[in-house]
Amino acid sequence: MKAWKGDDPIQKQTLSYPMRTSEAHTNVRRLQRKRLKQNVPLILMFIPVIAFFVAFRYIPILGNVIAFKQYNLMQGIWGSPWAGLDNFKIIFSNPQTLQIVKNTFLLSFFGIVIGFPFPILVAVMLNEVRRMWWKKTVQTLLYLPHFFSWVIIGGIVVTLFGSQAGVVNALLEQWTGAKYPFLYQAGSWLTIFFGSNVWKEAGFGAIIYLAAMSSIDPHLYEAASMDGASKLRQIWHVTLPGIVPTATIMLILAMGRVMDVGFDPIYNLQNAVVSDVSNVISTYIYTIGIQNGLYSLTTSMGLFESVIGLILVVGANRIARKFNQSLW
């Protein structure tokens, strides 16, 4: 009979379980409200960022409907007649368009292949510098080109490699008696294009990898040193594996820009002589869309570029997922 009066421990636990569950939910809600109050300043700071992306990234996506219309300014986006897939048929039936897509893909792909390792290399070298005054000086010099506009970069390139008054050609003329048209030969133009991109962005891109290296446990270096590992071995077996997750994320994000070389570097460095290798989607959109007013055709090309970028990002992420390094 005592068990029915609540003396049984098992019965007490069973009877008190709903009460403890309710108390746990109450504590969880109280903790969530407390965290929300603590993060109110951060949420308020994040609101402008959300507003920016909504206004300038997501709402403009609706404008892609122009790719399926015969758009004109007088009738507007929604008043223009539908064209279906006619715009895509027009642009892909043009042999020049296929060459432009090929140029865009090759320039961007080789830009990633050539430019991706340099920020890692710069970060590794800066991470090994022990004299802070020298490290800060080198960092400043390497970061500085990132803040130059491509108009300035283009002016520097012309000043160095111009056929008439270029510094390099002036030296070549003194040494060999002849000049070389660096900016008017496809091979040398591509070299200058990739080199200027690396020079401009490698230093700034190294910041992310330096931040990743700062999170590596110093005891790993000490253990490797005690095992007799040289500095190169420590970099190979400790530093590089420590930044693999960050490098994977950066590579996945870079894959989304494979079809986006960028308008500024191409426009400021190209010329009519090397147009066979320098005409890309961004310059095509500027020439055909803005200068000639064929907005539907260029929107179709831009939508095609975005779809290819999305496919490449998803594909790269799936490959990285097999190595447990995916972005999502």
Side-chain angles (χ1 to χ4, degrees), residues 208-234:
I208 298 175
Y209 297 105
L210 284 172
M213 292 176 188
S214 65
S215 64
I216 299 176
D217 189 355
H219 294 91
L220 296 176
Y221 293 102
E222 296 177 4
S225 179
M226 293 178 63
D227 289 340
S230 63
K231 184 61 66 175
L232 290 178
R233 287 290 184 182
Q234 293 178 29

Side-chain angles (χ1 to χ4, degrees), residues 139-150 153 196 198-204:
Q139 281 180 332
T140 302
L141 294 176
L142 291 176
Y143 297 167
L144 189 61
H146 172 78
F147 301 99
F148 293 162
S149 70
W150 272 105
I153 301 297
S196 59
V198 170
W199 175 68
K200 187 177 188 299
E201 301 296 342
F204 190 80

Side-chain angles (χ1 to χ4, degrees), residues 240-315:
L240 294 181
I243 63 174
V244 164
T246 302
T248 303
I249 293 174
M250 298 301 296
L251 181 60
I252 292 173
L253 296 176
M255 292 302 295
R257 300 190 296 271
V258 164
M259 297 300 292
D260 182 17
V261 181
F263 174 77
D264 292 341
I266 294 291
Y267 186 76
N268 285 284
L269 296 179
Q270 74 172 175
N271 55 74
V273 179
V274 294
S275 60
D276 291 341
V277 296
S278 64
N279 275 337
V280 294
I281 291 177
S282 57
T283 56
Y284 173 86
I285 291 175
Y286 173 75
T287 303
I288 303 300
I290 297 179
Q291 292 185 339
N292 295 334
L294 301 177
Y295 302 106
S296 296
L297 294 180
T298 52
T299 304
S300 303
M301 180 66 79
L303 181 59
F304 167 76
E305 177 184 3
S306 300
V307 170
I308 296 299
L310 175 62
I311 294 173
L312 291 174
V313 167
V314 173

